[in-house]
PDB file of all heavy atoms in Angstrom:
ATOM      1  N   PHE I  82      -6.395  -4.548   1.358  1.00 98.00           N
ATOM      2  CA  PHE I  82      -5.742  -4.517   0.051  1.00 98.00           C
ATOM      3  C   PHE I  82      -5.094  -5.862  -0.283  1.00 98.00           C
ATOM      4  O   PHE I  82      -5.280  -6.405  -1.378  1.00 98.00           O
ATOM      5  CB  PHE I  82      -4.682  -3.397  -0.018  1.00 98.00           C
ATOM      6  CG  PHE I  82      -4.089  -3.328  -1.392  1.00 98.00           C
ATOM      7  CD1 PHE I  82      -4.771  -2.711  -2.426  1.00 98.00           C
ATOM      8  CD2 PHE I  82      -2.882  -3.956  -1.679  1.00 98.00           C
ATOM      9  CE1 PHE I  82      -4.264  -2.700  -3.712  1.00 98.00           C
ATOM     10  CE2 PHE I  82      -2.366  -3.952  -2.963  1.00 98.00           C
ATOM     11  CZ  PHE I  82      -3.057  -3.321  -3.983  1.00 98.00           C
ATOM     12  N   GLU I 174       3.461   2.885   3.468  1.00 96.00           N
ATOM     13  CA  GLU I 174       4.736   3.619   3.387  1.00 96.00           C
ATOM     14  C   GLU I 174       5.372   3.782   4.774  1.00 96.00           C
ATOM     15  O   GLU I 174       6.581   3.614   4.947  1.00 96.00           O
ATOM     16  CB  GLU I 174       4.520   5.018   2.774  1.00 96.00           C
ATOM     17  CG  GLU I 174       3.955   5.030   1.360  1.00 96.00           C
ATOM     18  CD  GLU I 174       2.418   4.988   1.293  1.00 96.00           C
ATOM     19  OE1 GLU I 174       1.777   4.573   2.276  1.00 96.00           O
ATOM     20  OE2 GLU I 174       1.859   5.345   0.241  1.00 96.00           O
ATOM     21  N   ASN I 234       3.209   1.242  -2.119  1.00 97.00           N
ATOM     22  CA  ASN I 234       3.255   2.295  -3.140  1.00 97.00           C
ATOM     23  C   ASN I 234       4.473   3.199  -3.000  1.00 97.00           C
ATOM     24  O   ASN I 234       4.359   4.344  -2.556  1.00 97.00           O
ATOM     25  CB  ASN I 234       1.989   3.154  -3.038  1.00 97.00           C
ATOM     26  CG  ASN I 234       0.770   2.432  -3.554  1.00 97.00           C
ATOM     27  OD1 ASN I 234       0.821   1.729  -4.571  1.00 97.00           O
ATOM     28  ND2 ASN I 234      -0.348   2.600  -2.865  1.00 97.00           N
ATOM     29  N   VAL I 276       1.592  -2.612  -7.576  1.00 98.00           N
ATOM     30  CA  VAL I 276       0.287  -3.240  -7.312  1.00 98.00           C
ATOM     31  C   VAL I 276      -0.796  -2.218  -7.574  1.00 98.00           C
ATOM     32  O   VAL I 276      -0.580  -1.027  -7.354  1.00 98.00           O
ATOM     33  CB  VAL I 276       0.180  -3.730  -5.857  1.00 98.00           C
ATOM     34  CG1 VAL I 276       1.118  -4.876  -5.589  1.00 98.00           C
ATOM     35  CG2 VAL I 276       0.427  -2.601  -4.872  1.00 98.00           C
ATOM     36  N   ASP I 277      -1.921  -2.659  -8.041  1.00 98.00           N
ATOM     37  CA  ASP I 277      -3.000  -1.706  -8.294  1.00 98.00           C
ATOM     38  C   ASP I 277      -4.361  -2.369  -8.164  1.00 98.00           C
ATOM     39  O   ASP I 277      -4.646  -3.355  -8.857  1.00 98.00           O
ATOM     40  CB  ASP I 277      -2.855  -1.094  -9.695  1.00 98.00           C
ATOM     41  CG  ASP I 277      -3.766   0.112  -9.894  1.00 98.00           C
ATOM     42  OD1 ASP I 277      -4.439   0.519  -8.921  1.00 98.00           O
ATOM     43  OD2 ASP I 277      -3.780   0.652 -11.019  1.00 98.00           O
ATOM     44  N   ARG I 278      -5.152  -1.857  -7.285  1.00 98.00           N
ATOM     45  CA  ARG I 278      -6.580  -2.154  -7.186  1.00 98.00           C
ATOM     46  C   ARG I 278      -7.140  -1.186  -6.141  1.00 98.00           C
ATOM     47  O   ARG I 278      -6.543  -1.044  -5.069  1.00 98.00           O
ATOM     48  CB  ARG I 278      -6.832  -3.599  -6.727  1.00 98.00           C
ATOM     49  CG  ARG I 278      -8.321  -3.927  -6.721  1.00 98.00           C
ATOM     50  CD  ARG I 278      -8.597  -5.412  -6.549  1.00 98.00           C
ATOM     51  NE  ARG I 278      -9.830  -5.732  -7.243  1.00 98.00           N
ATOM     52  CZ  ARG I 278     -10.348  -6.952  -7.361  1.00 98.00           C
ATOM     53  NH1 ARG I 278      -9.720  -7.987  -6.835  1.00 98.00           N
ATOM     54  NH2 ARG I 278     -11.465  -7.155  -8.017  1.00 98.00           N
ATOM     55  N   ILE I 279      -8.234  -0.567  -6.441  1.00 98.00           N
ATOM     56  CA  ILE I 279      -8.817   0.357  -5.465  1.00 98.00           C
ATOM     57  C   ILE I 279      -9.689  -0.450  -4.511  1.00 98.00           C
ATOM     58  O   ILE I 279     -10.623  -1.144  -4.940  1.00 98.00           O
ATOM     59  CB  ILE I 279      -9.581   1.483  -6.181  1.00 98.00           C
ATOM     60  CG1 ILE I 279      -8.580   2.316  -6.999  1.00 98.00           C
ATOM     61  CG2 ILE I 279     -10.315   2.356  -5.169  1.00 98.00           C
ATOM     62  CD1 ILE I 279      -9.202   3.407  -7.844  1.00 98.00           C
ATOM     63  N   VAL I 280      -9.320  -0.384  -3.231  1.00 98.00           N
ATOM     64  CA  VAL I 280      -9.951  -1.225  -2.205  1.00 98.00           C
ATOM     65  C   VAL I 280     -10.314  -0.347  -1.000  1.00 98.00           C
ATOM     66  O   VAL I 280      -9.498  -0.155  -0.094  1.00 98.00           O
ATOM     67  CB  VAL I 280      -8.990  -2.353  -1.759  1.00 98.00           C
ATOM     68  CG1 VAL I 280      -9.660  -3.275  -0.729  1.00 98.00           C
ATOM     69  CG2 VAL I 280      -8.495  -3.148  -2.948  1.00 98.00           C
ATOM     70  N   GLU I 306     -12.744  -2.571  -6.569  1.00 98.00           N
ATOM     71  CA  GLU I 306     -13.165  -2.332  -7.948  1.00 98.00           C
ATOM     72  C   GLU I 306     -12.854  -3.577  -8.781  1.00 98.00           C
ATOM     73  O   GLU I 306     -12.036  -4.416  -8.369  1.00 98.00           O
ATOM     74  CB  GLU I 306     -12.416  -1.118  -8.511  1.00 98.00           C
ATOM     75  CG  GLU I 306     -10.910  -1.358  -8.615  1.00 98.00           C
ATOM     76  CD  GLU I 306     -10.146  -0.240  -9.322  1.00 98.00           C
ATOM     77  OE1 GLU I 306     -10.761   0.526 -10.082  1.00 98.00           O
ATOM     78  OE2 GLU I 306      -8.924  -0.152  -9.120  1.00 98.00           O
ATOM     79  N   LYS I 342       2.030   4.816 -12.275  1.00 98.00           N
ATOM     80  CA  LYS I 342       0.961   4.548 -11.305  1.00 98.00           C
ATOM     81  C   LYS I 342       1.043   5.510 -10.114  1.00 98.00           C
ATOM     82  O   LYS I 342       0.040   6.088  -9.685  1.00 98.00           O
ATOM     83  CB  LYS I 342       1.063   3.091 -10.859  1.00 98.00           C
ATOM     84  CG  LYS I 342      -0.203   2.601 -10.183  1.00 98.00           C
ATOM     85  CD  LYS I 342      -0.015   2.349  -8.726  1.00 98.00           C
ATOM     86  CE  LYS I 342      -1.325   2.182  -7.990  1.00 98.00           C
ATOM     87  NZ  LYS I 342      -1.160   1.851  -6.604  1.00 98.00           N
ATOM     88  N   LEU I 346      -2.073   7.831 -10.880  1.00 98.00           N
ATOM     89  CA  LEU I 346      -3.194   7.333 -10.057  1.00 98.00           C
ATOM     90  C   LEU I 346      -3.088   7.850  -8.611  1.00 98.00           C
ATOM     91  O   LEU I 346      -3.950   8.559  -8.122  1.00 98.00           O
ATOM     92  CB  LEU I 346      -3.249   5.805 -10.060  1.00 98.00           C
ATOM     93  CG  LEU I 346      -4.506   5.225  -9.367  1.00 98.00           C
ATOM     94  CD1 LEU I 346      -4.837   3.837  -9.886  1.00 98.00           C
ATOM     95  CD2 LEU I 346      -4.435   5.181  -7.849  1.00 98.00           C
ATOM     96  N   ASN I 347      -2.004   7.476  -7.933  1.00 98.00           N
ATOM     97  CA  ASN I 347      -1.911   7.862  -6.520  1.00 98.00           C
ATOM     98  C   ASN I 347      -1.779   9.377  -6.381  1.00 98.00           C
ATOM     99  O   ASN I 347      -2.309   9.962  -5.431  1.00 98.00           O
ATOM    100  CB  ASN I 347      -0.740   7.142  -5.840  1.00 98.00           C
ATOM    101  CG  ASN I 347      -0.917   5.628  -5.818  1.00 98.00           C
ATOM    102  OD1 ASN I 347      -0.172   4.911  -6.467  1.00 98.00           O
ATOM    103  ND2 ASN I 347      -1.909   5.133  -5.094  1.00 98.00           N
ATOM    104  N   HIS I 350      -5.200  10.711  -6.738  1.00 98.00           N
ATOM    105  CA  HIS I 350      -5.962  10.312  -5.562  1.00 98.00           C
ATOM    106  C   HIS I 350      -5.689  11.260  -4.403  1.00 98.00           C
ATOM    107  O   HIS I 350      -6.613  11.754  -3.753  1.00 98.00           O
ATOM    108  CB  HIS I 350      -5.515   8.904  -5.146  1.00 98.00           C
ATOM    109  CG  HIS I 350      -6.606   7.901  -5.214  1.00 98.00           C
ATOM    110  ND1 HIS I 350      -6.410   6.602  -4.847  1.00 98.00           N
ATOM    111  CD2 HIS I 350      -7.902   7.980  -5.590  1.00 98.00           C
ATOM    112  CE1 HIS I 350      -7.543   5.936  -5.006  1.00 98.00           C
ATOM    113  NE2 HIS I 350      -8.450   6.756  -5.454  1.00 98.00           N
ATOM    114  N   SER I 351      -4.414  11.507  -4.120  1.00 98.00           N
ATOM    115  CA  SER I 351      -4.064  12.375  -2.984  1.00 98.00           C
ATOM    116  C   SER I 351      -4.556  13.791  -3.235  1.00 98.00           C
ATOM    117  O   SER I 351      -5.003  14.469  -2.314  1.00 98.00           O
ATOM    118  CB  SER I 351      -2.549  12.361  -2.754  1.00 98.00           C
ATOM    119  OG  SER I 351      -2.175  11.112  -2.227  1.00 98.00           O
ATOM    120  N   ARG I 406     -12.471   4.863 -13.543  1.00 98.00           N
ATOM    121  CA  ARG I 406     -12.330   4.137 -12.275  1.00 98.00           C
ATOM    122  C   ARG I 406     -12.746   5.014 -11.099  1.00 98.00           C
ATOM    123  O   ARG I 406     -13.439   4.567 -10.193  1.00 98.00           O
ATOM    124  CB  ARG I 406     -10.874   3.670 -12.105  1.00 98.00           C
ATOM    125  CG  ARG I 406     -10.481   2.595 -13.101  1.00 98.00           C
ATOM    126  CD  ARG I 406      -8.983   2.306 -13.049  1.00 98.00           C
ATOM    127  NE  ARG I 406      -8.577   1.680 -11.791  1.00 98.00           N
ATOM    128  CZ  ARG I 406      -7.299   1.507 -11.430  1.00 98.00           C
ATOM    129  NH1 ARG I 406      -6.321   1.919 -12.220  1.00 98.00           N
ATOM    130  NH2 ARG I 406      -7.006   0.927 -10.298  1.00 98.00           N
ATOM    131  N   HIS I 414     -15.123   5.251  -1.633  1.00 97.00           N
ATOM    132  CA  HIS I 414     -13.736   5.352  -1.163  1.00 97.00           C
ATOM    133  C   HIS I 414     -13.564   6.686  -0.454  1.00 97.00           C
ATOM    134  O   HIS I 414     -13.587   7.747  -1.086  1.00 97.00           O
ATOM    135  CB  HIS I 414     -12.801   5.247  -2.373  1.00 97.00           C
ATOM    136  CG  HIS I 414     -11.423   4.834  -2.005  1.00 97.00           C
ATOM    137  ND1 HIS I 414     -10.411   4.688  -2.920  1.00 97.00           N
ATOM    138  CD2 HIS I 414     -10.870   4.518  -0.817  1.00 97.00           C
ATOM    139  CE1 HIS I 414      -9.310   4.309  -2.302  1.00 97.00           C
ATOM    140  NE2 HIS I 414      -9.564   4.193  -1.026  1.00 97.00           N
ATOM    141  N   GLN I 418      -9.573   8.421   4.159  1.00 97.00           N
ATOM    142  CA  GLN I 418      -8.677   7.254   4.129  1.00 97.00           C
ATOM    143  C   GLN I 418      -7.453   7.559   3.246  1.00 97.00           C
ATOM    144  O   GLN I 418      -6.318   7.269   3.606  1.00 97.00           O
ATOM    145  CB  GLN I 418      -9.439   6.030   3.591  1.00 97.00           C
ATOM    146  CG  GLN I 418      -8.628   4.746   3.640  1.00 97.00           C
ATOM    147  CD  GLN I 418      -9.339   3.550   2.965  1.00 97.00           C
ATOM    148  OE1 GLN I 418     -10.551   3.572   2.723  1.00 97.00           O
ATOM    149  NE2 GLN I 418      -8.583   2.509   2.658  1.00 97.00           N
ATOM    150  N   ILE I 419      -7.704   8.182   2.121  1.00 98.00           N
ATOM    151  CA  ILE I 419      -6.604   8.455   1.193  1.00 98.00           C
ATOM    152  C   ILE I 419      -5.725   9.602   1.690  1.00 98.00           C
ATOM    153  O   ILE I 419      -4.504   9.581   1.502  1.00 98.00           O
ATOM    154  CB  ILE I 419      -7.184   8.772  -0.203  1.00 98.00           C
ATOM    155  CG1 ILE I 419      -7.976   7.573  -0.708  1.00 98.00           C
ATOM    156  CG2 ILE I 419      -6.086   9.133  -1.195  1.00 98.00           C
ATOM    157  CD1 ILE I 419      -8.898   7.885  -1.856  1.00 98.00           C
ATOM    158  N   ALA I 420      -6.344  10.582   2.366  1.00 98.00           N
ATOM    159  CA  ALA I 420      -5.560  11.731   2.856  1.00 98.00           C
ATOM    160  C   ALA I 420      -4.683  11.367   4.053  1.00 98.00           C
ATOM    161  O   ALA I 420      -3.761  12.107   4.400  1.00 98.00           O
ATOM    162  CB  ALA I 420      -6.502  12.871   3.243  1.00 98.00           C
ATOM    163  N   SER I 421      -4.934  10.201   4.671  1.00 98.00           N
ATOM    164  CA  SER I 421      -4.124   9.840   5.843  1.00 98.00           C
ATOM    165  C   SER I 421      -2.671   9.590   5.426  1.00 98.00           C
ATOM    166  O   SER I 421      -2.403   9.236   4.281  1.00 98.00           O
ATOM    167  CB  SER I 421      -4.700   8.582   6.505  1.00 98.00           C
ATOM    168  OG  SER I 421      -4.540   7.496   5.632  1.00 98.00           O
ATOM    169  N   LYS I 426       3.178   9.994   1.810  1.00 98.00           N
ATOM    170  CA  LYS I 426       2.638   9.727   0.476  1.00 98.00           C
ATOM    171  C   LYS I 426       3.075  10.779  -0.541  1.00 98.00           C
ATOM    172  O   LYS I 426       3.494  10.441  -1.647  1.00 98.00           O
ATOM    173  CB  LYS I 426       1.106   9.674   0.529  1.00 98.00           C
ATOM    174  CG  LYS I 426       0.558   8.417   1.218  1.00 98.00           C
ATOM    175  CD  LYS I 426      -0.963   8.415   1.255  1.00 98.00           C
ATOM    176  CE  LYS I 426      -1.503   7.112   1.849  1.00 98.00           C
ATOM    177  NZ  LYS I 426      -2.952   7.170   2.092  1.00 98.00           N
ATOM    178  N   ARG I 430       4.421  10.662  -4.420  1.00 98.00           N
ATOM    179  CA  ARG I 430       3.409  10.906  -5.445  1.00 98.00           C
ATOM    180  C   ARG I 430       3.570  12.233  -6.174  1.00 98.00           C
ATOM    181  O   ARG I 430       3.244  12.323  -7.350  1.00 98.00           O
ATOM    182  CB  ARG I 430       2.020  10.837  -4.805  1.00 98.00           C
ATOM    183  CG  ARG I 430       1.780   9.489  -4.152  1.00 98.00           C
ATOM    184  CD  ARG I 430       0.474   9.438  -3.375  1.00 98.00           C
ATOM    185  NE  ARG I 430       0.301   8.088  -2.816  1.00 98.00           N
ATOM    186  CZ  ARG I 430      -0.831   7.594  -2.397  1.00 98.00           C
ATOM    187  NH1 ARG I 430      -1.934   8.325  -2.448  1.00 98.00           N
ATOM    188  NH2 ARG I 430      -0.889   6.368  -1.918  1.00 98.00           N
TER     189      ARG I 430
HETATM  190  C1  CS2 P 805      -4.735   5.249  -2.293  1.00 54.99           C
HETATM  191  C2  CS2 P 805      -4.264   3.847  -2.664  1.00 54.99           C
HETATM  192  O1  CS2 P 805      -5.145   5.183   0.017  1.00 54.99           O
HETATM  193  C3  CS2 P 805      -4.412   5.633  -0.874  1.00 54.99           C
HETATM  194  O2  CS2 P 805      -3.480   6.385  -0.630  1.00 54.99           O
HETATM  195  O3  CS2 P 805      -4.197   6.151  -3.195  1.00 54.99           O
HETATM  196  O4  CS2 P 805      -4.534   2.927  -1.662  1.00 54.99           O
HETATM  197  C4  CS2 P 805      -4.858   3.376  -3.993  1.00 54.99           C
HETATM  198  O5  CS2 P 805      -6.244   3.146  -3.859  1.00 54.99           O
HETATM  199  C5  CS2 P 805      -4.184   2.118  -4.489  1.00 54.99           C
HETATM  200  O6  CS2 P 805      -2.806   2.336  -4.578  1.00 54.99           O
HETATM  201  C6  CS2 P 805      -4.759   1.722  -5.842  1.00 54.99           C
HETATM  202  O7  CS2 P 805      -3.996   0.718  -6.390  1.00 54.99           O
END
Side-chain angles (χ1 to χ4, degrees):
F82 183 79
E174 300 87 339
N234 287 320
V276 293
D277 192 4
R278 184 168 211 177
I279 296 176
V280 182
E306 65 173 339
K342 197 249 166 176
L346 187 156
N347 297 113
H350 242 182
S351 289
R406 292 171 68 190
H414 201 181
Q418 185 186 343
I419 299 164
S421 67
K426 288 180 176 171
R430 302 174 178 198

